[in-house]
Amino acid sequence: MQKFYHIVTYGCQMNVHESEKIAGILRELGYEYCEEAENSDIVVFNTCCIRENAENHAFGNIGMFKKLKAKNRNMIIAVGGCLTQQMGKADNVKSKFPFVDIIFGTHNLHKLKDYILMKEKQKKAVISIEEFDGTIVEGEKPYRTSYPNAWVNIAYGCNNFCSYCIVPYVRGRERSRKSENIISEVENLISEGYKEITLLGQNVNSYGNGTQDISFPRLLEKIACLDGNFRLRFMTSHPKDFSEELAEVMAKYPKICHSLHLPVQSGSDTVLSRMNRKYTVADYLNKLKILRKYIPDCAVTTDIIVGFPGETDDDFNATVDLVKKADFSSAFTFVYSKREGTVASKMPDQISEHISKRRIMELIEVVNAQTRCQSEKYVGKKIKILCEGFDSKKKTYLGRDEYGRMGYFESDKDEVGNFVDILVEKANGVSLIGKKV
Ligand code: SAH
Ligand code: SF4
Ligand code: F3S
């Protein structure tokens, strides 16, 4: 009898891609995808713990499965990802949700197949959280569901220990894949027809970090020189490691998108220093200057945290000023969330929720006004979109240009996977609406 799986994913692109790896494992075991979790034989929660609300979200959703599990005793419920990898959290999940069958972490995702086989044979739950041992697993077979886009890990983990961040604790130390493995994965994807390749790492700029034969700019260059009709992106870049050499490579090869995600986090030097970011506002602006010297049209996006411990009104105003100066094409804004075990969680002067909320509202307004203003400049211009899908509600195709702008257009044929030129007729917030030309 056919068995079905459903995966619930939280968190970043890295996790989205890891869910594709989980799907690959489940399909190898004979499971087929099912849109409704309640009708599935196995449900996997791939969790995130970057902020408290990500954690609460996952906990809330897992809790809802108690009833389903009571109705269908054979349903396997598995919980993995960054949340369970956190110290003590696996026990927490187990005691809160005794009906969960499998608990695994980020370091043993590749063993999920064994855990499922074990669980199919025994009554007892399988709980296995492994400590980080530096292994890089090759030969994984992700089941990709994001055609024409494909994600490729180039490095795992993080060594930066920004004082607010849990990632180094749940993903282990930074380690890079061998360049030949990365390149051959990309070559295969291109030959399978993928049109956009995004290289993934917590800090792609430090790829290799002395352990590999080539640096990130050289790796990017090698991939940009591969034959085929595709474009290339990468994320995330840490400002401290962003180099002129990288800007040069980005400018030189047309396949590399003129788009860079460069999280700044704060516009105040004192806050940046307490965040352990290892650059100043002046350093950051200087990097942007270098980038725009090589690529004047480069779209820059960023991440910003408000309400970091000790953030004063002046610090916050400095962030608003920076946003105005930097001309970001969009920014992800977050309220600081205290993560147990991090250095910042022990800092005095944690900011009250009410101040953080006021600050984030103000910041969002500034960011949105800038984004709208940038979008309006597109009206009347022609852009090239890689069509990613069909929006059945709006009855239009959608895709992004190389700057990451979402564009919508109508067509009477299937355009998914095509590069399509559209003339922008209207801007709607971050989205552009146009007609095919
Ligand atoms: N490695 C990437 C992404 C890290 S997570 C980087 O260095 O940029 C994505 C974003 O989440 C971060 O850039 C940061 O803005 C935000 N973030 C991380 N920890 C956070 C916390 N404790 N509270 C609020 N936002 C956080
Ligand atoms: Fe977290 Fe900093 Fe590493 Fe990014 S670079 S994952 S924010 S510790
Ligand atoms: Fe990503 Fe969340 Fe883990 S942002 S690395 S899934 S903590």
Side-chain angles (χ1 to χ4, degrees):
M1 211 174 61
Q2 187 58 59
K3 298 182 292 183
F4 292 98
Y5 73 89
H6 187 88
I7 304 174
V8 188
T9 308
Y10 307 86
C12 61
Q13 210 53 60
M14 197 81 74
N15 248 25
V16 172
H17 182 43
E18 256 148 37
S19 285
E20 294 183 329
K21 294 180 185 177
I22 293 173
I25 294 172
L26 297 172
R27 298 180 81 87
E28 223 177 280
L29 287 167
Y31 290 86
E32 279 286 336
Y33 175 68
C34 174
E35 213 161 304
E36 304 95 41
E38 61 274 23
N39 295 328
S40 303
D41 299 281
I42 180 163
V43 180
V44 183
F45 291 89
N46 189 14
T47 62
C48 169
C49 59
I50 196 86
R51 284 168 290 273
E52 199 181 348
N53 53 9
E55 243 181 74
N56 291 344
H57 196 181
F59 274 132
N61 287 357
I62 300 166
M64 292 196 304
F65 276 71
K66 187 176 171 186
K67 273 196 196 139
L68 279 178
K69 179 79 186 189
K71 260 200 264 169
N72 176 4
R73 295 239 134 252
N74 293 329
M75 179 190 259
I76 296 178
I77 296 182
V79 183
C82 292
L83 172 60
T84 42
Q85 187 69 47
Q86 253 184 110
M87 186 96 89
K89 280 289 159 72
D91 292 340
N92 219 252
V93 169
K94 189 63 211 153
S95 60
K96 253 184 140 121
F97 312 112
F99 57 89
V100 168
D101 301 285
I102 300 172
I103 300 177
F104 61 105
T106 56
H107 301 316
N108 55 350
L109 180 146
H110 57 288
K111 295 188 185 161
L112 182 60
K113 182 178 171 182
D114 301 335
Y115 302 150
I116 296 171
L117 291 174
M118 231 188 269
K119 180 61 211 172
E120 282 174 345
K121 279 198 214 111
Q122 69 183 40
K123 261 196 135 160
K124 208 168 91 216
V126 181
I127 303 174
S128 179
I129 301 295
E130 289 185 9
E131 287 307 306
F132 171 66
D133 68 359
T135 321
I136 294 188
V137 179
E138 287 295 343
E140 295 171 302
K141 294 185 193 73
Y143 177 70
R144 296 177 188 272
T145 45
S146 54
Y147 177 84
N149 302 335
W151 293 292
V152 175
N153 289 114
I154 65 165
Y156 300 96
C158 182
N159 289 351
N160 289 319
F161 288 95
C162 301
S163 62
Y164 50 81
C165 185
I166 195 79
V167 171
Y169 303 91
V170 294
R171 292 276 175 175
R173 296 293 63 72
E174 183 182 290
R175 59 241 182 247
S176 302
R177 288 177 71 192
K178 285 201 168 100
S179 61
E180 62 257 36
N181 292 338
I182 299 168
I183 292 166
S184 88
E185 183 174 345
V186 175
E187 280 171 336
N188 286 338
L189 290 167
I190 298 165
S191 71
E192 285 166 23
Y194 286 91
K195 301 287 171 53
E196 181 173 297
I197 308 292
T198 305
L199 307 178
L200 286 181
Q202 294 297 347
N203 177 12
V204 291
N205 303 132
S206 64
Y207 169 81
N209 212 354
T211 64
Q212 300 300 320
D213 52 343
I214 53 174
S215 64
F216 181 61
R218 295 279 82 76
L219 175 69
L220 195 62
E221 181 170 45
K222 279 195 170 187
I223 297 174
C225 288
L226 296 175
D227 285 336
N229 182 22
F230 69 98
R231 66 187 187 190
L232 189 53
R233 295 184 190 279
F234 53 88
M235 62 186 260
T236 297
S237 296
H238 192 302
K240 79 174 164 58
D241 299 311
F242 179 84
S243 63
E244 183 155 1
E245 195 190 357
L246 179 58
E248 252 176 276
V249 171
M250 285 177 74
K252 189 168 169 194
Y253 297 96
K255 280 181 175 136
I256 306 175
C257 292
H258 285 185
S259 155
L260 182 73
H261 186 56
L262 199 64
V264 66
Q265 313 298 359
S266 169
S268 151
D269 283 343
T270 34
V271 173
L272 285 175
S273 154
R274 288 209 312 279
M275 284 178 161
N276 192 28
R277 289 291 287 180
K278 301 193 174 81
Y279 55 84
T280 62
V281 175
D283 296 334
Y284 185 88
L285 289 172
N286 194 37
K287 301 246 168 160
L288 283 192
K289 210 162 138 193
I290 294 169
L291 173 72
R292 287 175 171 149
K293 181 176 91 186
Y294 285 91
I295 316 166
D297 63 341
C298 195
V300 181
T301 55
T302 201
D303 292 346
I304 299 169
I305 297 176
V306 304
F308 184 79
E311 184 189 67
T312 62
D313 277 336
D314 283 349
D315 292 325
F316 172 68
N317 290 336
T319 300
V320 174
D321 281 348
L322 174 75
V323 168
K324 288 180 179 159
K325 265 191 218 140
D327 201 21
F328 295 120
S329 60
S330 71
F332 298 95
T333 51
F334 307 105
V335 169
Y336 166 75
S337 172
K338 188 172 168 178
R339 302 286 70 205
E340 219 172 292
T342 62
V343 171
S345 69
K346 296 177 204 83
M347 288 181 182
D349 306 325
Q350 301 278 328
I351 303 295
S352 75
E353 204 181 308
H354 124 97
I355 294 181
S356 294
K357 275 212 175 120
R358 190 181 40 138
R359 288 181 184 163
I360 199 153
M361 304 270 269
E362 185 182 334
L363 185 65
I364 289 173
E365 229 166 83
V366 175
V367 167
N368 285 353
Q370 270 192 2
T371 309
R372 270 197 306 273
C373 179
Q374 287 206 2
S375 293
E376 269 145 28
K377 287 189 198 147
Y378 272 88
V379 176
K381 289 199 177 130
K382 211 172 84 176
I383 56 171
K384 192 181 280 304
I385 285 215
L386 171 58
C387 181
E388 291 175 358
F390 184 72
D391 185 323
S392 46
K393 266 198 209 134
K394 294 195 178 104
K395 299 266 178 283
T396 57
Y397 284 95
L398 57 102
R400 277 170 308 134
D401 70 356
E402 68 166 313
Y403 309 107
R405 291 270 156 171
M406 197 54 103
Y408 295 84
F409 65 99
E410 287 177 6
S411 175
D412 44 23
K413 63 170 191 180
D414 183 4
E415 300 279 9
V416 178
N418 293 345
F419 287 101
V420 182
D421 288 324
I422 68 167
L423 180 67
V424 179
E425 293 174 319
K426 215 173 110 189
N428 190 358
V430 283
S431 315
L432 307 171
I433 297 130
K435 70 165 190 256
K436 211 175 135 181
V437 284

